[in-house]
Amino acid sequence: MLDHIREVLFTESEIEEKVKLLGAAISQDYREKELLLVNVLKGGVIFLADLIRQITIPVVIDFMAISSYGPSTEEFGIVRLVKDLEESVSGKDVLVVEDIIDTGLTLTYLLRNLESRDPGSLRVCTLMDKSVRRIVDIPIYYKGFDVPDVFVVGYGLDYEQKYRNLPFIGVLKKEIYYPEE
Amino acid sequence: MVDSSEKENSADSNSSVIERINFAHPSEKQCAQILDFYGIKWEYEPKSFPVEWDKRGSVLQSFTPDFYLPEFNLFIELTTMSQKLVTKKNRKIRRLRELYPDINIKIFYQRDFRYLLLKFGLHKMQHN
């Protein structure tokens, strides 16, 4: 698996440091509030697991999953919630935790969905921001790393469901996804 | 011009709007489908911007962005030709930005569209 990685973009220790900083900022900003962390499966799950252990205030976590556009999408399909929250968000301070934001399309859908449930507040925390690929702009309140225009895997991020278990974030070799070039 | 908000957000109505449009390139149809999938409203080629006039003030050249996303006040231009061939289009877009500085426009080049296909796992289908 390691030989599929062109270079390590963020090491384990760099990620750890960044997650500590994010956890401290969130703990400070949400002290004396009822914080609900909403995680988007599957990519963000490892980031969430580390982040909550750096947050020093009580938090509730919940998960959402939505269908992704892809080869199996019907020609004129529309996004649907594959897994909905179990917690009510009404009146709560909600922080959406994402692994990476690129086009902003998925998050736009999720934020609209959550806004319709009348949360007390709604913010976004992402470990990585690949703004060069943004189609629709999204306000990001907490951001770990800016990511250049490369295909990253590891620390929860996948290519064809693989590489999520890498402890670092690496750049996937092009020949893995474009083998014929 | 066709407006995606003419429909309710359902697969059936999406198909009828998209099928009515004579997209200039298959990538534009795919872009419309992706926007529909995520519930982003779009309009196809809703507006042309004159970018060159003759001495009498008649329009010689216009630029018509492919999509307008009204919720984001954003125009999108897809250009899937190879990077070597986009110089002329880039010149036109530069002129557009000079003449209409308030316009919010994003250009999607071939490499950007390839990334979208990769992100959505469609890149292998494209090669086949």
Side-chain angles (χ1 to χ4, degrees), chain B residues 89-105:
Chain B
K89 193 175 243 187
N90 280 343
R91 203 177 301 131
K92 224 169 168 182
I93 292 163
R94 261 201 309 278
R95 185 75 182 131
L96 176 83
R97 285 180 165 144
E98 284 167 12
L99 292 166
Y100 308 94
D102 294 334
I103 285 177
N104 188 13
I105 183 166

Side-chain angles (χ1 to χ4, degrees), chain B residues 7 12 20-21 26 28 33 40 44 55 66 119-120:
Chain B
K7 58 176 173 55
D12 286 347
R20 269 170 32 215
I21 299 174
E28 294 174 2
Q33 286 174 343
I40 309 287
Y44 184 65
K55 287 176 184 169
D66 296 319
K119 173 186 167 66
F120 294 123

Side-chain angles (χ1 to χ4, degrees), chain A residues 130-144:
Chain A
K130 195 192 277 187
S131 57
V132 68
R133 291 292 169 202
R134 193 80 83 249
I135 296 176
V136 291
D137 289 328
I138 284 175
I140 299 173
Y141 205 85
Y142 303 100
K143 175 169 72 173

Side-chain angles (χ1 to χ4, degrees), chain B:
Chain B
M1 183 268 281
V2 181
D3 179 345
S4 73
S5 64
E6 287 174 21
K7 58 176 173 55
E8 295 299 311
N9 195 18
S10 71
D12 286 347
S13 47
N14 286 3
S15 66
S16 63
V17 170
I18 288 179
E19 289 304 323
R20 269 170 32 215
I21 299 174
N22 189 17
F23 289 103
H25 191 274
S27 62
E28 294 174 2
K29 183 178 178 184
Q30 193 147 39
C31 184
Q33 286 174 343
I34 291 170
L35 292 170
D36 268 350
F37 184 85
Y38 289 102
I40 309 287
K41 288 180 184 163
W42 52 269
E43 297 166 15
Y44 184 65
E45 297 189 338
K47 192 173 177 183
S48 289
F49 298 92
V51 292
E52 192 183 340
W53 297 262
D54 65 16
K55 287 176 184 169
R56 289 178 296 180
S58 301
V59 175
L60 289 176
Q61 220 182 138
S62 294
F63 187 87
T64 307
D66 296 319
F67 291 95
Y68 177 63
L69 312 187
E71 297 156 306
F72 302 92
N73 188 26
L74 172 69
F75 288 93
I76 291 179
E77 172 66 10
L78 284 179
T79 173
T80 49
M81 57 183 90
S82 77
Q83 203 62 31
K84 290 174 191 165
L85 301 173
V86 299
T87 311
K88 193 176 168 190
K89 193 175 243 187
N90 280 343
R91 203 177 301 131
K92 224 169 168 182
I93 292 163
R94 261 201 309 278
R95 185 75 182 131
L96 176 83
R97 285 180 165 144
E98 284 167 12
L99 292 166
Y100 308 94
D102 294 334
I103 285 177
N104 188 13
I105 183 166
K106 284 187 181 174
I107 317 300
F108 272 71
Y109 295 102
Q110 189 184 52
R111 62 173 182 269
D112 302 309
F113 194 70
R114 268 167 64 100
Y115 176 81
L116 267 187
L117 297 180
L118 176 62
K119 173 186 167 66
F120 294 123
L122 301 167
H123 55 300
K124 288 178 179 168
M125 295 166 74
Q126 193 79 355
H127 281 285
N128 293 339

